[in-house]
Amino acid sequence: MNIIELRKRDLLKLDTLKIHNKVLNTEGKLYIYSYKNKWIRKNEVLKIYFMNNLIDKKIDVVKNLLLNKKHINVQELVLPTSLVSIDSNLSGFSMPYISNNINLVLLLKNNNVMLSKKIEFLKSIYKIIEKLDKIKKLDNNFFLGDIHESNFIFDTKKQIIRAVDIDSSYINNSYISPAKYLTVNKKIINMNKYPFKDNNPIPNTNTSILCFIYMLLNVLSNDNSYYWSIDEYYNYLNYLRDKNCSYELLDNLSKIYIDGIDNEFNINLLDTIDVKKSYKLK
């Protein structure tokens, strides 16, 4: 397993990666690391964790990702490339530097971006979720975990959506990272399809679909659907019904708060949304 060994004074010489203030980042600091591979100069991003009692658990997740990298053949994931040691202490990891990108939160929450384009972005995100389900060597043992708008970017050079913050994944019963839409979500506590461990829901297919549906409804409503009460949630689905959204789509959306029934989502139902209409809350 590769380890980039640096001293603290080396780290201080690196440029930091500038992040928009609307992009959630609470775990560590990002640096741009330049090095030579034979005669070619390359750049990577170093994520150096803020020193706390969770750093060893996060490093274990990264190690697991590195060990299983050969099985995770999904180009849309910005996977770790090496561990990073600062003054002989494992402190973070490196990953590819996608220099030309726009964070999805800036696109999905931008009122000037057409709904049709936002739906295309959401399709790409769901396809990534589906690809992880098809990794045979990690069947039901690899989930993105913390799925929300800030953890995806649009690679403007390759014109694809990529998932970042992969160290918040759940792989082979690893540490469960706090998740924006899950950790403090009291509406899913005591529901069997969202089992909890150490005050965090264990990532599974149901949690992945739940988070995706929140993202979809955030886009449609121009609001934060994960804050809604259960009554407010179903009132919004009735509003979508009044807007002539398909019964099949509403049926998929209706299941997230029904225990005993697994969540499901058919990506083709995104095509049934009339993008000429507005579904925003007034």
Side-chain angles (χ1 to χ4, degrees), residues 165-194:
D165 199 39
I166 305 299
D167 57 317
S168 292
S169 300
Y170 181 67
I171 179 170
N172 293 331
N173 301 311
S174 64
Y175 165 68
I176 303 172
S177 294
K180 179 179 179 180
Y181 292 157
L182 302 174
T183 299
V184 295
N185 190 339
K186 295 180 180 179
K187 298 183 289 292
I188 64 175
I189 293 174
N190 299 323
M191 294 184 70
N192 292 325
K193 65 181 178 182
Y194 305 121

Side-chain angles (χ1 to χ4, degrees), residues 16-261:
T16 57
L17 183 66
K18 292 179 175 60
I19 298 177
H20 196 283
N21 57 16
K22 289 185 178 180
V23 178
L24 188 65
N25 178 41
T26 60
E27 294 179 338
K29 197 167 184 178
L30 303 177
Y31 298 87
I32 300 174
Y33 175 65
S34 182
Y35 68 98
K36 275 189 177 180
N37 183 2
K38 296 182 179 178
W39 301 108
I40 301 174
R41 181 160 292 282
K42 292 188 174 183
N43 289 326
E44 289 195 323
V45 172
L46 307 185
K47 181 174 182 177
I48 306 302
Y49 294 112
F50 300 128
M51 300 305 293
N52 56 46
N53 59 347
L54 297 180
I55 188 169
D56 290 339
K57 294 177 181 179
K58 297 291 289 187
I59 291 292
D60 282 342
V61 174
V62 175
K63 286 180 179 178
N64 219 319
L65 289 166
L66 289 168
L67 288 171
N68 288 279
K69 196 171 182 178
K70 62 183 178 181
H71 305 309
I72 307 172
N73 187 24
V74 179
Q75 70 160 334
E76 292 89 351
L77 301 187
V78 183
L79 290 166
T81 53
S82 302
L83 293 169
V84 177
S85 170
I86 307 295
D87 292 335
S88 301
N89 296 310
L90 288 178
S91 304
F93 67 96
S94 65
M95 59 185 134
Y97 177 39
I98 313 297
S99 58
N100 300 307
N101 78 84
I102 305 172
N103 193 279
L104 255 290
V105 73
L106 304 178
L107 296 171
L108 294 178
K109 292 186 177 294
N110 187 336
N111 290 327
N112 293 320
V113 176
M114 296 177 64
L115 178 57
S116 58
K117 190 63 178 177
K118 293 179 180 181
I119 295 295
E120 290 302 315
F121 291 143
L122 290 168
K123 281 183 186 178
S124 297
I125 290 172
Y126 198 74
K127 286 177 182 177
I128 295 173
I129 294 171
E130 289 184 318
K131 284 184 179 183
L132 301 195
D133 279 341
K134 296 175 183 177
I135 300 175
K136 293 182 179 179
K137 291 287 186 178
L138 293 170
D139 186 35
N140 287 317
N141 285 305
F142 181 37
F143 299 94
L144 289 179
D146 190 16
I147 296 174
H148 62 84
E149 293 86 347
S150 291
N151 280 347
F152 295 89
I153 61 173
F154 178 53
D155 183 334
T156 57
K157 183 177 180 180
K158 293 196 173 181
Q159 293 289 297
I160 61 172
I161 299 297
R162 295 183 182 273
V164 295
D165 199 39
I166 305 299
D167 57 317
S168 292
S169 300
Y170 181 67
I171 179 170
N172 293 331
N173 301 311
S174 64
Y175 165 68
I176 303 172
S177 294
K180 179 179 179 180
Y181 292 157
L182 302 174
T183 299
V184 295
N185 190 339
K186 295 180 180 179
K187 298 183 289 292
I188 64 175
I189 293 174
N190 299 323
M191 294 184 70
N192 292 325
K193 65 181 178 182
Y194 305 121
F196 275 66
K197 179 181 177 183
D198 299 329
N199 297 318
N200 281 306
I202 301 171
N204 58 24
T205 300
N206 284 321
T207 62
S208 294
I209 294 175
L210 172 67
C211 292
F212 176 79
I213 286 176
Y214 284 149
M215 292 176 66
L216 170 61
L217 294 186
N218 290 348
V219 165
L220 294 179
S221 68
N222 198 34
D223 196 28
N224 295 315
S225 62
Y226 56 101
Y227 282 145
W228 299 345
S229 69
I230 292 178
D231 285 344
E232 288 171 332
Y233 181 85
Y234 285 107
N235 283 339
Y236 185 70
L237 295 195
N238 288 331
Y239 173 67
L240 293 181
R241 179 61 258 163
D242 291 340
K243 289 281 190 175
N244 293 319
C245 286
S246 74
Y247 282 111
E248 292 83 2
L249 174 62
L250 295 174
D251 180 60
N252 279 192
L253 300 180
S254 71
K255 294 176 181 177
I256 65 171
Y257 295 131
I258 302 175
D259 208 6
I261 300 176

